[in-house]
Amino acid sequence: MNKLKKLSRRLTSAKITPFLVILAMALILLSRQIYTHSVFLGMDSIFHFNRFYDSAMQIKTGHFSYFQMNYGFSQTGRVINAVYGPFISYLSGLLLLLSGSWFHFQILETLLVLLIAGMSMYLLLIKNEVKRSYAILLAVFYMYSCPVVSWLLTQQFTGIGAALMPLLILAGTQFFKGHRFSIIYLAGAMALMIQTHLMTSLIGFISLVPMFMAGFFMTDYKWVYFKRACLAAILCLLMTANIWGSVLQLFHNNFLMPVYPVPSMTFFSFKFSIYSWTSLIKPADFALFIWVLYMLVRHFKQWDVKVKTLSITGLIFFYLSTYLFPWDQAMQIYPHLAYNLQFPKRFLVLPFVILPLVAGIMMTQKTTKHDYHCVKIVILMVAILLGLGINLWAEGFKSLKSIHLVDNQTTVNLTHVYMHKKRKPDQIKNDFYGNDLSGLINDFTKAVPDYLPVRSKLEPVEYNNLHPYYKSHKQLVKKNVSKTYHFVKTVNADGSLTVRWHSPYHHKLTQLPVIKYANTKVTYNGSEKGIQTGKIGSIIVHSKHGHNTLTTKYLAGNWWKTIMWICLFSWIFFVYMLFYKLINRK
């Protein structure tokens, strides 16, 4: 009996135990998808799969094009990855090649996201002196949260941003140490978020402001504090030079199609509905948030500045994510909120990181004579099991759709945003589990007008009048398989895209399923003249009778190489300094 107790103590105290627990709980969450051999397809799946496939083919062939999408999105030469998480896109493309099939890729990618979410949350809790047992359980609690699980169920990229968010909040909590916060950690965490997802990184940056201000007023070395913050900001800008360079060049030289302006932001906020309770905030999550609010008010004088600042910040962002905030009225004052933010539920990523952190600190610090440690452990375990149950229930619906797609002898339309290509179930099955990675993105095509070049800046009303989703489907998806011209596309070694077709007409005005930006060099039948563009940037030429050839190549300019070298050397410097700090820490 004593030997068993000693073994149990060794296991619970071992450094690897948190990782093993988080890994086991991640596999349990994935068990239903693995058992049913399902591929989950959500609203954003095809969009991101095209991005990853494009990066994978660039790596496989060596035909790199940082700006043009020459393999994904029906080989239209459009720009997406350059302004939307290029760092994660290339890593995911590499993982896709190593996985060999979309099913294995989805399992491995999701497992990595869950592990990163759990371990980053555990690190945040431990570094803020939360008791180890609470830290492990709250890390699993966060791993099962809706912002993280959204990647598993619907491939919302916010899920990947959520997995990394605890690292950014960890850098923010160092502000409470005064001027001793780490420049390297702060710059690295912010840069990693920006390289992953701009919107999530912006929300995370806003959350750092109250932490920064609290630390600034607490320290006696305000100039040193401010100077270190500026150095971190400069290093972060250098480490994300590729993102800002892409954004500045594209938006300076083009009018780009914004994302869909939602008609009602309140509709996409947390409400007391079944959807919200299962997909945004589970009942156990809500109970934890309310408990933090109760403990903050009940023992307000007991808590230090850090707990008060974190609690109020997390609760404010929770309020902003709900229908209680007058979002529709705010849209009337500032219509571009419909473009820039779209969904108030995006704010939920912060309460799910900050409030469990506060809960862990509150649980660790005694507020009464009795600790009730076992009771707290049991309550956290029950909350985790309730979250797991709801997640597995949601996975059941996803698995059922996947099974129908590969077993039924009829075509199944997933949602109105997918254009199903009338492929037979056995073909879809091969594309899910086979090594032909192009199959899946050809089975399901999605009209995505985001970042296409338009002729003028679009207001929300003008966006709807343009009908960009319809035009995108008609000009870039449907026309790509035109029987009249039969466009054949080839990616060249220099990253350019060549389109060949045969025209049965003489001097016929032809719209091609290829996009031109201001920096796109277009050569048509050996000439750079006679090129026109449509309302969403599709190229229009006068086809000659017989064989026609058109080549597009995005020319970023020599200054772009300088930006990429700056970014690369900044990351090398960051990695060197990070290892130096880890090796030389006391």
Side-chain angles (χ1 to χ4, degrees):
M1 191 68 179
N2 290 331
K3 289 183 178 180
L4 287 175
K5 287 183 178 180
K6 287 182 180 179
L7 179 62
S8 176
R9 287 174 183 173
R10 285 181 181 178
L11 288 175
T12 53
S13 61
K15 289 184 178 180
I16 199 173
T17 298
F19 174 77
L20 293 177
V21 172
I22 289 169
L23 174 61
M25 297 306 288
L27 290 173
I28 291 172
L29 180 60
L30 285 171
S31 61
R32 187 154 195 170
Q33 184 179 8
I34 295 171
Y35 177 75
T36 58
H37 222 59
S38 304
V39 173
F40 293 169
L41 296 179
M43 290 290 289
D44 296 330
S45 304
I46 300 303
F47 175 76
H48 293 302
F49 285 177
N50 271 273
R51 294 176 56 227
F52 301 159
Y53 173 74
D54 190 273
S55 297
M57 294 307 295
Q58 287 187 43
I59 296 170
K60 181 179 180 179
T61 62
H63 299 169
F64 286 95
S65 176
Y66 186 82
F67 284 89
Q68 277 191 192
M69 307 288 287
N70 290 332
Y71 295 98
F73 295 97
S74 303
Q75 296 187 279
T76 51
R78 62 189 300 175
V79 176
I80 291 182
N81 277 348
V83 293
Y84 198 123
F87 180 75
I88 296 297
S89 180
Y90 277 106
L91 287 179
S92 298
L94 178 60
L95 181 62
L96 177 58
L97 288 177
L98 297 174
S99 303
S101 72
W102 285 104
F103 170 71
H104 291 115
F105 165 76
Q106 193 170 62
I107 294 295
L108 291 174
E109 178 103 330
T110 303
L111 180 61
L112 285 173
V113 170
L114 293 174
L115 289 177
I116 292 170
M119 290 306 299
S120 63
M121 188 64 183
Y122 175 77
L123 183 64
L124 169 63
L125 292 160
I126 287 296
K127 289 294 185 180
N128 283 276
E129 300 176 345
V130 174
K131 197 170 184 176
R132 195 167 188 259
S133 55
Y134 298 146
I136 294 173
L137 291 174
L138 285 168
V140 176
F141 178 86
Y142 179 67
M143 185 173 67
Y144 285 179
S145 68
C146 293
V148 176
V149 175
S150 67
W151 174 255
L152 164 66
L153 297 175
T154 58
Q155 282 73 59
Q156 294 180 32
F157 218 62
T158 303
I160 295 183
L164 297 169
M165 183 61 79
L167 298 178
L168 183 61
I169 301 303
L170 173 58
T173 57
Q174 291 189 344
F175 285 134
F176 297 102
K177 296 179 180 179
H179 68 285
R180 292 172 294 176
F181 67 86
S182 172
I183 296 173
I184 296 298
Y185 293 162
L186 177 60
M190 194 72 237
L192 187 60
M193 288 296 299
I194 293 171
Q195 291 282 3
T196 302
H197 195 220
L198 271 176
M199 179 54 70
T200 307
S201 65
L202 177 60
I203 292 172
F205 173 77
I206 295 172
S207 74
L208 295 185
V209 174
M211 302 180 210
F212 174 83
M213 296 302 295
F216 181 78
F217 287 113
M218 287 171 60
T219 184
D220 294 328
Y221 303 92
K222 289 181 170 53
W223 170 243
V224 178
Y225 184 96
F226 180 75
K227 183 171 65 175
R228 290 175 69 85
C230 290
L231 289 174
I234 292 170
L235 179 56
C236 176
L237 286 173
L238 294 176
M239 293 170 68
T240 55
N242 60 319
I243 300 290
W244 306 121
S246 301
V247 170
L248 289 173
Q249 185 188 78
L250 284 165
F251 281 86
H252 177 72
N253 297 327
N254 304 272
F255 293 106
L256 297 188
M257 179 84 69
V259 296
Y260 172 66
V262 296
S264 170
M265 292 180 68
T266 301
F267 181 80
F268 294 99
S269 61
F270 171 78
K271 299 181 287 291
F272 293 99
S273 63
I274 294 177
Y275 169 78
S276 291
W277 286 123
T278 56
S279 301
L280 299 182
I281 303 177
K282 303 182 186 75
D285 307 336
F286 186 78
L288 182 72
F289 296 171
I290 297 301
W291 182 81
V292 169
L293 175 60
Y294 167 78
M295 291 295 289
L296 175 68
V297 176
R298 178 71 176 80
H299 305 281
F300 190 79
K301 292 182 179 180
Q302 177 179 329
W303 308 121
D304 58 16
V305 175
K306 181 170 79 171
V307 171
K308 291 176 181 177
T309 304
L310 289 172
S311 300
I312 294 171
T313 301
L315 290 168
I316 288 175
F317 276 99
F318 174 49
Y319 168 66
L320 291 175
S321 69
T322 69
Y323 76 100
L324 298 174
F325 187 86
W327 283 112
D328 287 346
Q329 289 82 352
M331 280 177 58
Q332 294 177 1
I333 300 171
Y334 186 64
H336 283 272
L337 276 173
Y339 279 144
N340 301 330
L341 178 62
Q342 286 185 297
F343 315 126
K345 63 182 181 180
R346 294 182 192 271
F347 286 122
L348 280 173
V349 64
L350 286 172
F352 271 105
V353 176
I354 296 176
L355 296 183
L357 167 61
V358 174
I361 295 172
M362 290 177 169
M363 289 177 182
T364 301
Q365 297 181 17
K366 292 183 179 181
T367 54
T368 60
K369 294 181 180 179
H370 304 286
D371 189 13
Y372 301 112
H373 174 69
C374 292
V375 175
K376 296 173 186 175
I377 293 293
V378 170
I379 290 174
L380 284 177
M381 291 178 69
V382 170
I384 289 170
L385 290 175
L386 288 174
L388 175 63
I390 293 175
N391 289 334
L392 291 175
W393 173 76
E395 284 184 61
F397 288 99
K398 289 292 181 179
S399 297
L400 192 61
K401 286 185 177 181
S402 178
I403 292 169
H404 284 170
L405 281 171
V406 299
D407 287 346
N408 284 2
Q409 297 304 310
T410 57
T411 296
V412 178
N413 286 306
L414 296 180
T415 67
H416 69 282
V417 296
Y418 291 105
M419 312 303 175
H420 198 202
K421 299 236 353 172
K422 307 295 182 183
R423 306 270 283 200
K424 294 181 179 179
D426 59 338
Q427 291 176 302
I428 296 174
K429 185 175 183 179
N430 289 335
D431 295 336
F432 276 177
Y433 313 116
N435 55 12
D436 180 9
L437 300 176
S438 66
L440 180 61
I441 63 172
N442 289 325
D443 289 341
F444 307 100
T445 54
K446 182 180 179 181
V448 182
D450 302 0
Y451 313 122
L452 291 174
V454 292
R455 294 174 177 174
S456 61
K457 184 178 179 180
L458 292 178
E459 298 297 328
V461 175
E462 296 170 323
Y463 182 99
N464 294 324
N465 292 337
L466 185 61
H467 301 294
Y469 280 89
Y470 170 75
K471 282 184 169 60
S472 176
H473 173 64
K474 182 180 178 181
Q475 297 178 17
L476 304 180
V477 176
K478 194 173 180 180
K479 192 177 284 293
N480 203 57
V481 290
S482 171
K483 294 181 180 179
T484 304
Y485 296 105
H486 185 60
F487 299 109
V488 177
K489 298 180 178 180
T490 307
V491 183
N492 305 309
D494 64 348
S496 60
L497 178 68
T498 297
V499 186
R500 296 180 177 88
W501 72 98
H502 185 277
S503 175
Y505 309 106
H506 291 278
H507 205 63
K508 175 72 173 181
L509 199 64
T510 307
Q511 190 168 49
L512 308 180
V514 183
I515 297 299
K516 180 187 182 308
Y517 293 84
N519 286 66
T520 304
K521 179 183 177 181
V522 182
T523 305
Y524 171 55
N525 289 337
S527 173
E528 297 181 23
K529 298 179 180 180
I531 310 297
Q532 304 176 44
T533 56
K535 291 184 178 180
I536 59 171
S538 53
I539 296 174
I540 301 172
V541 296
H542 286 85
S543 294
K544 69 174 184 179
H545 181 266
H547 182 72
N548 292 267
T549 303
L550 182 139
T551 300
T552 66
K553 180 176 175 60
Y554 191 96
L555 302 177
N558 292 329
W559 68 277
W560 177 252
K561 295 180 181 179
T562 304
I563 284 180
M564 293 300 287
W565 280 114
I566 290 173
C567 183
L568 177 62
F569 281 118
S570 299
W571 277 98
I572 293 173
F573 172 76
F574 165 76
V575 173
Y576 169 77
M577 291 301 298
L578 186 63
F579 274 103
Y580 178 82
K581 280 182 169 290
L582 292 174
I583 293 171
N584 292 279
R585 66 179 181 179
K586 296 180 180 179

